[in-house]
Coordinates of all heavy atoms in Angstrom, one line a residue:
E41 N 248.1 -86.9 40.0 CA 248.0 -87.9 38.9 C 247.8 -89.2 39.6 O 248.7 -89.6 40.4 CB 249.2 -87.9 38.0 CG 249.8 -86.5 37.7 CD 248.9 -85.7 36.9 OE1 248.2 -86.2 36.0 OE2 248.9 -84.4 37.1
V42 N 246.7 -89.9 39.3 CA 246.5 -91.2 40.0 C 246.4 -92.3 38.9 O 245.8 -92.2 37.9 CB 245.1 -91.2 40.7 CG1 244.9 -92.5 41.4 CG2 245.0 -90.0 41.7
Q43 N 247.2 -93.3 39.2 CA 247.2 -94.5 38.4 C 246.7 -95.7 39.3 O 247.3 -96.0 40.3 CB 248.6 -94.8 37.8 CG 248.6 -96.1 37.0 CD 250.0 -96.4 36.4 OE1 250.6 -95.5 35.7 NE2 250.6 -97.5 36.7
M44 N 245.7 -96.3 38.8 CA 245.1 -97.5 39.5 C 245.3 -98.7 38.7 O 244.9 -98.8 37.5 CB 243.6 -97.2 39.8 CG 242.8 -98.3 40.5 SD 241.1 -97.9 40.6 CE 240.4 -99.3 41.5
N45 N 245.9 -99.7 39.3 CA 246.1 -101.0 38.6 C 245.3 -102.1 39.3 O 245.4 -102.3 40.5 CB 247.6 -101.3 38.7 CG 248.5 -100.3 38.0 OD1 248.4 -100.1 36.8 ND2 249.3 -99.6 38.8
I46 N 244.5 -102.8 38.4 CA 243.7 -103.9 38.9 C 244.2 -105.2 38.1 O 244.2 -105.2 36.9 CB 242.2 -103.7 38.6 CG1 241.8 -102.3 39.2 CG2 241.4 -104.8 39.1 CD1 240.4 -101.9 38.8
S47 N 244.6 -106.2 38.8 CA 245.0 -107.4 38.1 C 244.2 -108.6 38.6 O 243.7 -108.6 39.8 CB 246.5 -107.7 38.4 OG 246.8 -107.9 39.8
G48 N 244.0 -109.6 37.8 CA 243.2 -110.8 38.1 C 241.7 -110.6 38.0 O 241.0 -111.4 38.6
W49 N 241.3 -109.6 37.3 CA 239.8 -109.3 37.2 C 239.1 -110.3 36.3 O 238.2 -111.0 36.6 CB 239.6 -107.9 36.8 CG 238.2 -107.5 36.9 CD1 237.2 -107.4 35.9 CD2 237.4 -107.1 38.1 NE1 236.0 -107.0 36.4 CE2 236.1 -106.8 37.7 CE3 237.8 -107.1 39.4 CZ2 235.1 -106.5 38.7 CZ3 236.8 -106.7 40.4 CH2 235.5 -106.4 40.0
A50 N 239.5 -110.2 35.0 CA 239.0 -111.2 33.9 C 237.5 -111.3 33.8 O 236.9 -112.4 33.8 CB 239.6 -112.6 34.2
K51 N 236.9 -110.1 33.7 CA 235.4 -110.1 33.5 C 235.1 -109.1 32.3 O 236.0 -108.4 31.9 CB 234.7 -109.6 34.8 CG 234.8 -110.6 35.9 CD 234.0 -110.1 37.1 CE 234.1 -111.1 38.3 NZ 233.4 -110.6 39.5
D52 N 233.9 -109.0 31.9 CA 233.6 -108.2 30.8 C 233.8 -106.7 31.1 O 234.2 -106.0 30.2 CB 232.1 -108.4 30.4 CG 231.9 -109.8 29.7 OD1 232.9 -110.3 29.1 OD2 230.7 -110.3 29.8
Y53 N 233.5 -106.3 32.3 CA 233.7 -104.9 32.6 C 233.9 -104.8 34.1 O 233.6 -105.8 34.9 CB 232.5 -104.1 32.2 CG 231.2 -104.3 32.9 CD1 230.9 -103.8 34.2 CD2 230.3 -105.2 32.4 CE1 229.8 -104.0 34.8 CE2 229.1 -105.5 33.0 CZ 228.8 -104.9 34.3 OH 227.7 -105.1 34.9
V54 N 234.4 -103.7 34.6 CA 234.6 -103.4 36.0 C 234.1 -102.0 36.2 O 234.4 -101.0 35.5 CB 236.1 -103.5 36.4 CG1 237.0 -102.6 35.6 CG2 236.2 -103.2 37.9
D55 N 233.3 -101.8 37.3 CA 232.8 -100.5 37.7 C 233.8 -100.0 38.8 O 233.9 -100.7 39.8 CB 231.4 -100.5 38.2 CG 230.4 -100.7 37.1 OD1 230.8 -100.5 35.9 OD2 229.2 -101.1 37.4
V56 N 234.3 -98.8 38.7 CA 235.1 -98.2 39.7 C 234.4 -97.0 40.2 O 233.8 -96.2 39.4 CB 236.6 -97.9 39.3 CG1 237.3 -99.2 38.9 CG2 236.6 -96.9 38.1
K57 N 234.4 -96.8 41.5 CA 233.6 -95.8 42.1 C 234.3 -95.0 43.2 O 235.2 -95.5 43.9 CB 232.3 -96.4 42.7 CG 232.5 -97.4 43.8 CD 231.3 -98.3 44.0 CE 230.1 -97.6 44.3 NZ 229.0 -98.5 44.7
M58 N 234.0 -93.7 43.2 CA 234.6 -92.8 44.2 C 233.6 -92.4 45.3 O 232.4 -92.2 44.9 CB 235.1 -91.5 43.5 CG 235.6 -90.5 44.4 SD 236.4 -89.1 43.5 CE 238.1 -89.7 43.3
P59 N 234.0 -92.4 46.5 CA 233.0 -92.0 47.6 C 232.5 -90.6 47.3 O 233.2 -89.7 46.7 CB 233.9 -92.0 48.8 CG 234.9 -93.0 48.6 CD 235.3 -92.8 47.1
V60 N 231.3 -90.3 47.8 CA 230.7 -89.0 47.6 C 230.8 -88.2 48.9 O 230.4 -87.0 49.0 CB 229.2 -89.0 47.1 CG1 229.2 -89.8 45.8 CG2 228.3 -89.7 48.2
W61 N 231.3 -88.8 50.0 CA 231.4 -88.1 51.3 C 232.6 -88.7 52.0 O 233.1 -89.7 51.6 CB 230.2 -88.1 52.1 CG 229.8 -89.5 52.7 CD1 229.4 -90.6 52.0 CD2 229.9 -89.9 54.0 NE1 229.2 -91.7 52.8 CE2 229.5 -91.3 54.1 CE3 230.3 -89.3 55.2 CZ2 229.5 -92.0 55.3 CZ3 230.3 -90.0 56.4 CH2 229.9 -91.3 56.4
T62 N 233.0 -88.1 53.1 CA 234.1 -88.6 53.9 C 233.6 -88.8 55.3 O 233.0 -87.9 55.9 CB 235.3 -87.7 53.9 OG1 236.5 -88.4 54.5 CG2 235.1 -86.4 54.6
P63 N 233.8 -90.0 55.9 CA 233.3 -90.2 57.3 C 233.9 -89.2 58.3 O 235.0 -88.8 58.2 CB 233.9 -91.6 57.6 CG 233.9 -92.3 56.3 CD 234.3 -91.2 55.3
G64 N 233.0 -88.8 59.2 CA 233.3 -87.8 60.2 C 232.9 -86.4 59.8 O 232.8 -85.5 60.6
S65 N 232.5 -86.2 58.5 CA 232.1 -85.0 58.0 C 230.8 -85.2 57.2 O 230.8 -85.7 56.1 CB 233.1 -84.3 57.1 OG 232.7 -83.1 56.6
Y66 N 229.6 -84.9 57.8 CA 228.4 -85.5 57.3 C 227.7 -84.5 56.3 O 226.7 -83.8 56.6 CB 227.5 -85.7 58.6 CG 228.2 -86.6 59.6 CD1 228.8 -86.0 60.7 CD2 228.4 -87.9 59.3 CE1 229.5 -86.8 61.6 CE2 229.1 -88.7 60.2 CZ 229.7 -88.2 61.3 OH 230.4 -88.9 62.2
L67 N 228.3 -84.6 55.1 CA 227.8 -83.8 54.0 C 228.2 -84.5 52.7 O 229.3 -85.0 52.6 CB 228.4 -82.4 54.0 CG 227.9 -81.5 52.8 CD1 226.5 -81.1 52.9 CD2 228.8 -80.2 52.8
I68 N 227.2 -84.6 51.8 CA 227.6 -85.2 50.4 C 228.4 -84.1 49.7 O 227.9 -83.0 49.4 CB 226.3 -85.5 49.7 CG1 225.5 -86.6 50.4 CG2 226.6 -86.0 48.2 CD1 226.2 -87.9 50.6
R69 N 229.6 -84.4 49.4 CA 230.5 -83.4 48.9 C 230.8 -83.6 47.4 O 231.5 -82.8 46.8 CB 231.9 -83.4 49.7 CG 231.7 -83.0 51.1 CD 233.0 -82.9 51.9 NE 232.7 -82.5 53.3 CZ 232.5 -81.2 53.7 NH1 232.6 -80.2 52.8 NH2 232.2 -80.9 54.9
E70 N 230.4 -84.7 46.8 CA 230.5 -85.0 45.4 C 232.0 -84.9 45.0 O 232.3 -84.1 44.1 CB 229.6 -84.0 44.6 CG 228.2 -83.8 45.1 CD 227.3 -85.1 44.9 OE1 227.9 -86.2 44.7 OE2 226.1 -84.9 44.9
F71 N 232.8 -85.7 45.6 CA 234.3 -85.6 45.2 C 234.5 -85.9 43.8 O 235.5 -85.4 43.2 CB 235.0 -86.6 46.1 CG 235.0 -86.2 47.6 CD1 234.6 -87.2 48.5 CD2 235.4 -85.0 48.0 CE1 234.6 -86.9 49.9 CE2 235.5 -84.7 49.4 CZ 235.0 -85.6 50.3

Side-chain angles (χ1 to χ4, degrees):
E41 320 294 324
V42 183
Q43 178 178 303
M44 178 182 184
N45 297 296
I46 306 171
S47 63
W49 189 258
K51 295 182 181 180
D52 289 335
Y53 66 85
V54 56
D55 288 343
V56 294
K57 57 199 306 188
M58 175 171 272
V60 301
W61 71 288
T62 192
S65 180
Y66 307 102
L67 178 68
I68 299 298
R69 296 184 181 275
E70 314 290 21
F71 293 126

